[in-house]
Amino acid sequence: MSVKTNKKTKKIIDFLQKEWVLIMILLVLATATRFLYLGHPKEVVFDEVYFAKWVTNYYNGQFYFDIHPPLAKMMLAASAKIFGYGDAGNTDFSQIGNAYQTDYYKFLRGMEGLFGVILVLAVYALGKKMFKNKWPGFLAGLLIVFDNAILVQSRFIFTDVFLLAFGVIGLYFIYRLKEHQRLNSDAFVDLFFAALFLAASILIKWTALIFVGVGIVVLFIDVLQNKKKDFVFFVKETTAIVGIILVVYFGIFAAHLMSLPYSGGQDDNFLSPRFQSTLLGNVNYGKYETPNLFERIVNLNVSMFAANASVAKSHPYESKWYTWPIMWRPIFDWEKTLDNGQVERIYLLGNPLIWWMGLLSVVFVFITLFSEFRLKKKTIYFESLLVLAIGYLFNLLPYIFISRPAFLYHYFPSFIFMSLMTGFVLWFFLKEKPIVLIVIFIIIATSFVYFAPISYGLPMSEERFNDRMWLASWR
């Protein structure tokens, strides 16, 4: 009887280790968590006051000014129009808490959820490619699934989930490109897709340049270690990647400007009078020599950079870069008080077990890298961990010098690199102890469920809410 039981147990274990099964587990968990309560709340949440509104500008052609590039809004506008959800009705986007008048918002949130699922699968693929083993990628994917902050960012009409998904996919293709010994047609396919997705990431927010930087570091380290490649090879790769990124970048901005020919009212004031004169309905229309499309793109980007750098108004939920790893200050996105006295709230608050365990993993990786470098005894994982450590650190570095208000979501690229490090550390030390791994992730999932009400905006008593405010700074 025990022999039969052992055989059945072994079959189950072997089945669960098949790669397609692991992918399906990630797919099901990510889809369920991202699309649960999709339509709740039927109100404008936090930055939806901007992004959900700007999407509608592509339907009426009115210019809008955003300090971030336009790709996310363009994608949402195009997909909503194609699938028949382009009508926002008389929705007033001006304030958090205003009610949506149609199902327009559900579709846009659904697109965010879709990319939330794609992000999980992309992290798995990148982790597997980096460590040449499916388990670090799978464990990192689970960490992304069960993090409440990434969940919130994947459910509402924000834009960081697009940035993260495109950036991770771009790095995946960088690692595919690294495997080629010559720049032939096969290599160019991987090079093209690496550049395309990295460009798409930058076209969400400029902070995605971290992914481009990490990609270049990967290729540079490869040239240093691979005797079949020289510096000229590296220059050719990076030149081609940067060239494609620039073409895509300017192409998207050209489509953006051509889609918005009409004056956007006060938003026009961010442009100089000469460039305002290109907008139909603006008081300066036709009064100046018409700039060409390239000049308009350059001028708009200069104006975006200036406006971004000049942001000085403080925000109650801004935070300093050195507080992000411990999740000192989350973001309060939305609340509604019900008739029965309970309150629905949405917080951009991560799963503390993942964040704090991840920070310990980061510290361990940095100590390990330093030790291996000092003793000149590098393991086969040294390069991959070094790349992740560089990505983690260099995402934070600019914020040392940036004085404008910053927020917890600026940590997300570092969080992705941290998750991959944590996935590796858990696998490396516990690969022979699957029961311990399972227990750890059951605890992580329990913590996820515990904090889920303030991720989904579910009704809670004040007492239950207070129980979840583990730090005074979270309020």
Side-chain angles (χ1 to χ4, degrees):
M1 185 72 175
S2 62
V3 174
K4 287 184 178 180
T5 302
N6 288 337
K7 283 184 177 180
K8 286 183 179 179
T9 303
K10 186 178 183 305
K11 281 185 178 181
I12 293 172
I13 292 173
D14 290 342
F15 176 75
L16 291 175
Q17 294 189 64
K18 293 181 184 292
E19 184 172 19
W20 72 268
V21 175
L22 297 181
I23 292 173
M24 286 303 300
I25 290 172
L26 291 176
L27 181 62
V28 170
L29 288 174
T31 302
T33 52
R34 272 59 185 164
F35 286 88
L36 186 66
Y37 303 114
L38 182 66
H40 180 75
K42 193 179 179 178
E43 294 182 0
V44 177
V45 174
F46 198 57
D47 277 350
E48 289 184 343
V49 297
Y50 306 115
F51 299 128
K53 168 63 175 69
W54 287 333
V55 168
T56 66
N57 283 55
Y58 291 101
Y59 304 142
N60 57 37
Q62 289 184 338
F63 175 79
Y64 69 88
F65 184 84
D66 182 13
I67 59 175
H68 303 301
L71 182 58
K73 285 82 72 176
M74 295 175 72
M75 289 170 50
L76 290 171
S79 56
K81 192 71 172 178
I82 290 170
F83 289 98
Y85 287 92
D87 181 16
N90 296 318
T91 301
D92 177 7
F93 297 97
S94 63
Q95 287 187 338
I96 295 173
N98 286 351
Y100 285 108
Q101 302 300 314
T102 69
D103 284 341
Y104 159 83
Y105 79 105
K106 285 186 183 179
F107 181 86
L108 299 193
R109 288 182 184 172
M111 285 291 293
E112 300 276 347
L114 173 62
F115 272 81
V117 174
I118 291 172
L119 173 61
V120 170
L121 299 179
V123 167
Y124 165 76
L126 178 59
K128 180 189 173 187
K129 183 65 73 174
M130 291 184 75
F131 295 107
K132 297 178 173 57
N133 188 294
K134 63 192 175 187
W135 288 106
F138 176 69
L139 297 178
L142 285 178
L143 294 173
I144 301 298
V145 166
F146 290 124
D147 182 64
N148 298 74
I150 296 293
L151 170 70
V152 171
Q153 207 67 23
S154 303
R155 284 178 42 78
F156 298 103
I157 311 167
F158 308 149
T159 59
D160 288 83
V161 71
F162 297 110
L163 179 157
L164 298 173
F166 286 142
V168 171
I169 295 171
L171 288 183
Y172 168 77
F173 279 104
I174 287 288
Y175 270 91
R176 283 178 57 104
L177 173 62
K178 173 175 159 278
E179 295 171 353
H180 296 282
Q181 302 303 313
R182 295 184 299 116
L183 282 176
N184 53 23
S185 57
D186 289 339
F188 184 77
V189 170
D190 288 322
L191 185 151
F192 174 79
F193 281 111
L196 181 66
F197 283 105
L198 291 174
S201 188
I202 298 168
L203 280 159
I204 306 298
K205 287 183 178 180
W206 290 334
T207 51
L209 284 166
I210 180 61
F211 290 108
V212 179
V214 170
I216 291 174
V217 167
V218 170
L219 297 178
F220 183 69
I221 292 175
D222 181 48
V223 166
L224 293 178
Q225 294 182 337
N226 192 331
K227 294 180 180 179
K228 295 181 180 180
K229 299 177 181 180
D230 55 18
F231 187 70
V232 174
F233 188 94
F234 168 73
V235 171
K236 288 180 180 178
E237 283 182 314
T238 53
T239 301
I241 288 171
V242 172
I244 293 170
I245 287 175
L246 288 174
V247 170
V248 174
Y249 188 88
F250 277 89
I252 292 297
F253 264 95
H256 167 65
L257 287 175
M258 289 188 290
S259 300
L260 306 173
Y262 299 106
S263 169
Q266 294 295 321
D267 282 20
D268 298 1
N269 295 332
F270 287 95
L271 306 177
S272 66
R274 180 173 174 237
F275 291 91
Q276 291 179 29
S277 70
T278 63
L279 298 171
L280 292 165
N282 187 282
V283 294
N284 292 304
Y285 181 72
K287 292 183 179 180
Y288 296 83
E289 180 184 351
T290 304
N292 60 44
L293 187 56
F294 180 79
E295 289 178 311
R296 292 180 63 196
I297 293 170
V298 172
N299 177 262
L300 177 57
N301 276 264
V302 170
S303 299
M304 288 163 56
F305 181 82
N308 205 328
S310 66
V311 174
K313 186 178 180 180
S314 63
H315 190 284
Y317 289 92
E318 66 182 78
S319 52
K320 296 295 185 182
W321 64 271
Y322 50 80
T323 69
W324 298 338
I326 58 173
M327 201 170 61
W328 181 255
R329 188 63 169 162
I331 303 173
F332 185 25
D333 284 347
W334 173 88
E335 76 170 346
K336 182 177 183 179
T337 303
L338 305 180
D339 293 339
N340 61 5
Q342 291 189 323
V343 181
E344 299 174 330
R345 295 181 177 92
I346 294 173
Y347 269 79
L348 185 75
L349 175 71
N351 185 331
L353 298 189
I354 293 176
W355 286 60
W356 298 339
M357 179 177 66
L359 179 58
L360 293 176
S361 297
V362 170
V363 172
F364 170 79
V365 167
F366 272 92
I367 292 173
T368 301
L369 289 172
F370 178 77
S371 177
E372 289 186 15
F373 184 80
R374 185 172 60 87
L375 298 175
K376 297 181 179 179
K377 293 182 179 180
K378 298 175 183 175
T379 67
I380 59 173
Y381 305 114
F382 179 84
E383 177 196 328
S384 297
L385 292 175
L386 178 62
V387 168
L388 293 174
I390 289 172
Y392 180 89
L393 198 61
F394 276 50
N395 178 61
L396 298 176
L397 194 60
Y399 294 99
I400 298 174
F401 310 101
I402 293 174
S403 58
R404 60 149 288 179
F407 299 88
L408 188 64
Y409 54 70
H410 290 121
Y411 181 70
F412 283 156
S414 290
F415 181 86
I416 297 297
F417 298 125
M418 181 196 75
S419 298
L420 286 162
M421 284 188 264
T422 306
F424 168 80
V425 170
L426 289 172
W427 166 76
F428 186 80
F429 286 104
L430 300 174
K431 55 190 170 187
E432 303 300 332
K433 300 175 181 178
I435 300 300
V436 177
L437 265 178
I438 291 171
V439 170
I440 287 173
F441 274 93
I442 288 174
I443 295 171
I444 287 173
T446 302
S447 176
F448 170 81
V449 173
Y450 181 73
F451 286 96
I454 54 176
S455 304
Y456 292 108
L458 303 181
M460 299 177 69
S461 66
E462 204 64 25
E463 181 182 2
R464 289 179 61 208
F465 169 73
N466 290 333
D467 289 342
R468 286 158 176 80
M469 294 293 101
W470 289 359
L471 302 177
S473 59
W474 286 4
R475 294 181 177 277

